[in-house]
PDB file of all heavy atoms in Angstrom:
ATOM      1  N   HIS A 243     -60.741  59.356-129.653  1.00  0.00           N
ATOM      2  CA  HIS A 243     -59.598  60.121-130.014  1.00  0.00           C
ATOM      3  C   HIS A 243     -58.941  59.674-131.437  1.00  0.00           C
ATOM      4  O   HIS A 243     -59.477  60.086-132.392  1.00  0.00           O
ATOM      5  CB  HIS A 243     -58.550  59.971-128.792  1.00  0.00           C
ATOM      6  CG  HIS A 243     -59.095  60.550-127.566  1.00  0.00           C
ATOM      7  ND1 HIS A 243     -60.058  60.063-126.746  1.00  0.00           N
ATOM      8  CD2 HIS A 243     -58.669  61.723-127.005  1.00  0.00           C
ATOM      9  CE1 HIS A 243     -60.267  60.887-125.806  1.00  0.00           C
ATOM     10  NE2 HIS A 243     -59.448  61.874-125.867  1.00  0.00           N
ATOM     11  N   ASP A 295     -61.778  64.044-130.223  1.00  0.00           N
ATOM     12  CA  ASP A 295     -60.892  65.061-129.596  1.00  0.00           C
ATOM     13  C   ASP A 295     -59.470  65.140-130.399  1.00  0.00           C
ATOM     14  O   ASP A 295     -59.080  64.074-130.685  1.00  0.00           O
ATOM     15  CB  ASP A 295     -60.605  64.645-128.128  1.00  0.00           C
ATOM     16  CG  ASP A 295     -61.849  64.942-127.290  1.00  0.00           C
ATOM     17  OD1 ASP A 295     -62.917  65.062-127.797  1.00  0.00           O
ATOM     18  OD2 ASP A 295     -61.603  65.190-126.030  1.00  0.00           O
ATOM     19  N   ASP A 296     -59.101  66.376-130.405  1.00  0.00           N
ATOM     20  CA  ASP A 296     -57.683  66.672-130.940  1.00  0.00           C
ATOM     21  C   ASP A 296     -57.421  66.561-132.389  1.00  0.00           C
ATOM     22  O   ASP A 296     -56.437  66.782-132.891  1.00  0.00           O
ATOM     23  CB  ASP A 296     -56.690  65.640-130.209  1.00  0.00           C
ATOM     24  CG  ASP A 296     -56.885  65.503-128.700  1.00  0.00           C
ATOM     25  OD1 ASP A 296     -57.283  66.523-128.123  1.00  0.00           O
ATOM     26  OD2 ASP A 296     -56.538  64.497-128.071  1.00  0.00           O
ATOM     27  N   TRP A 331     -47.934  66.183-127.259  1.00  0.00           N
ATOM     28  CA  TRP A 331     -48.240  66.043-125.793  1.00  0.00           C
ATOM     29  C   TRP A 331     -48.697  64.635-125.363  1.00  0.00           C
ATOM     30  O   TRP A 331     -48.613  64.212-124.213  1.00  0.00           O
ATOM     31  CB  TRP A 331     -49.305  66.988-125.307  1.00  0.00           C
ATOM     32  CG  TRP A 331     -50.722  66.647-125.764  1.00  0.00           C
ATOM     33  CD1 TRP A 331     -51.574  65.675-125.208  1.00  0.00           C
ATOM     34  CD2 TRP A 331     -51.417  67.106-126.986  1.00  0.00           C
ATOM     35  NE1 TRP A 331     -52.698  65.612-125.959  1.00  0.00           N
ATOM     36  CE2 TRP A 331     -52.748  66.456-127.023  1.00  0.00           C
ATOM     37  CE3 TRP A 331     -51.175  68.073-127.950  1.00  0.00           C
ATOM     38  CZ2 TRP A 331     -53.618  66.675-127.970  1.00  0.00           C
ATOM     39  CZ3 TRP A 331     -52.203  68.209-128.876  1.00  0.00           C
ATOM     40  CH2 TRP A 331     -53.303  67.602-128.940  1.00  0.00           C
ATOM     41  N   HIS A 361     -60.749  73.478-129.663  1.00  0.00           N
ATOM     42  CA  HIS A 361     -60.232  72.723-128.464  1.00  0.00           C
ATOM     43  C   HIS A 361     -59.120  73.556-127.911  1.00  0.00           C
ATOM     44  O   HIS A 361     -58.112  73.074-127.371  1.00  0.00           O
ATOM     45  CB  HIS A 361     -59.763  71.307-128.900  1.00  0.00           C
ATOM     46  CG  HIS A 361     -59.562  70.258-127.861  1.00  0.00           C
ATOM     47  ND1 HIS A 361     -60.357  70.208-126.743  1.00  0.00           N
ATOM     48  CD2 HIS A 361     -58.796  69.115-127.850  1.00  0.00           C
ATOM     49  CE1 HIS A 361     -60.013  69.153-126.022  1.00  0.00           C
ATOM     50  NE2 HIS A 361     -59.142  68.559-126.719  1.00  0.00           N
ATOM     51  N   HIS A 365     -53.703  73.005-126.470  1.00  0.00           N
ATOM     52  CA  HIS A 365     -54.181  71.847-125.708  1.00  0.00           C
ATOM     53  C   HIS A 365     -53.581  71.878-124.236  1.00  0.00           C
ATOM     54  O   HIS A 365     -52.904  70.923-123.840  1.00  0.00           O
ATOM     55  CB  HIS A 365     -53.773  70.546-126.440  1.00  0.00           C
ATOM     56  CG  HIS A 365     -54.630  69.352-125.933  1.00  0.00           C
ATOM     57  ND1 HIS A 365     -54.212  68.497-124.951  1.00  0.00           N
ATOM     58  CD2 HIS A 365     -55.769  68.874-126.443  1.00  0.00           C
ATOM     59  CE1 HIS A 365     -55.175  67.563-124.747  1.00  0.00           C
ATOM     60  NE2 HIS A 365     -56.156  67.808-125.735  1.00  0.00           N
ATOM     61  N   PRO A 401     -59.759  71.402-123.082  1.00  0.00           N
ATOM     62  CA  PRO A 401     -58.684  70.333-122.929  1.00  0.00           C
ATOM     63  C   PRO A 401     -58.655  69.572-121.639  1.00  0.00           C
ATOM     64  O   PRO A 401     -58.828  70.141-120.548  1.00  0.00           O
ATOM     65  CB  PRO A 401     -57.479  71.260-123.204  1.00  0.00           C
ATOM     66  CG  PRO A 401     -57.898  72.370-123.865  1.00  0.00           C
ATOM     67  CD  PRO A 401     -59.296  72.658-123.385  1.00  0.00           C
ATOM     68  N   PHE A 402     -58.587  68.199-121.760  1.00  0.00           N
ATOM     69  CA  PHE A 402     -58.531  67.441-120.624  1.00  0.00           C
ATOM     70  C   PHE A 402     -59.851  67.377-119.789  1.00  0.00           C
ATOM     71  O   PHE A 402     -59.831  66.939-118.728  1.00  0.00           O
ATOM     72  CB  PHE A 402     -57.313  67.629-119.663  1.00  0.00           C
ATOM     73  CG  PHE A 402     -56.046  67.427-120.315  1.00  0.00           C
ATOM     74  CD1 PHE A 402     -55.312  68.558-120.785  1.00  0.00           C
ATOM     75  CD2 PHE A 402     -55.384  66.103-120.518  1.00  0.00           C
ATOM     76  CE1 PHE A 402     -54.108  68.397-121.423  1.00  0.00           C
ATOM     77  CE2 PHE A 402     -54.277  66.035-121.196  1.00  0.00           C
ATOM     78  CZ  PHE A 402     -53.515  67.130-121.561  1.00  0.00           C
TER      79      PHE A 402
HETATM   80 ZN1  LIG B 238     -57.844  66.878-126.096  1.00  0.00          ZN
END
Side-chain angles (χ1 to χ4, degrees):
H243 291 78
D295 284 25
D296 312 330
W331 77 80
H361 201 25
H365 204 271
F402 300 99

